[in-house]
């Protein structure tokens, strides 16, 4: 359920970015080249991939935290 939440959140943010950056034709000239630095090419899937990656990291946090090196790390690293 948690992983699915991250995927759906990524799709939602994908939709928001698409609606924000939709139809920026006023920034381009007749040849289709960007005339200003504000041009943004929205590539569908990048935001969803990021949220999916974060979901995988969150799912692996607990199992990896049970491994020996992960248990040693908080006590074995000097603190400031």
């Amino acid at each position: 359920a948690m992983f699915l939440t991250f995927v759906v959140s990524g799709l939602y943010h994908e939709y928001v970015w698409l609606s924000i950056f939709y139809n920026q034709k006023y920034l381009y000239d007749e040849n289709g080249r960007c005339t200003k630095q504000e041009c943004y090419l929205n590539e569908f899937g990048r935001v969803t991939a990021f949220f999916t990656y974060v979901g995988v990291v969150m799912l692996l946090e607990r199992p990896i935290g049970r491994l020996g090196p992960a248990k040693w790390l908080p006590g074995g690293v000097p603190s400031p």
Side-chain angles (χ1 to χ4, degrees):
M2 183 185 77
F3 179 72
L4 186 60
T5 302
F6 277 95
V7 172
V8 170
S9 181
L11 290 171
Y12 170 74
H13 282 84
E14 209 66 72
Y15 168 74
V16 170
W17 280 54
L18 186 64
S19 63
I20 289 173
F21 297 110
Y22 178 73
N23 198 5
Q24 296 179 334
K25 292 182 182 177
Y26 65 93
L27 295 174
Y28 296 91
D29 63 8
E30 308 82 42
N31 300 324
R33 287 188 230 135
C34 182
T35 57
K36 299 181 180 181
Q37 291 183 347
E38 293 92 19
C39 295
Y40 176 77
L41 177 61
N42 187 22
E43 297 178 17
F44 186 81
R46 293 178 73 185
V47 178
T48 303
F50 170 75
F51 275 85
T52 303
Y53 167 74
V54 171
V56 168
V57 169
M58 295 299 294
L59 285 173
L60 294 176
E61 183 180 15
R62 187 170 289 158
I64 289 177
R66 293 182 183 141
L67 298 176
K71 287 183 180 180
W72 170 83
L73 199 57
V77 176
S79 60

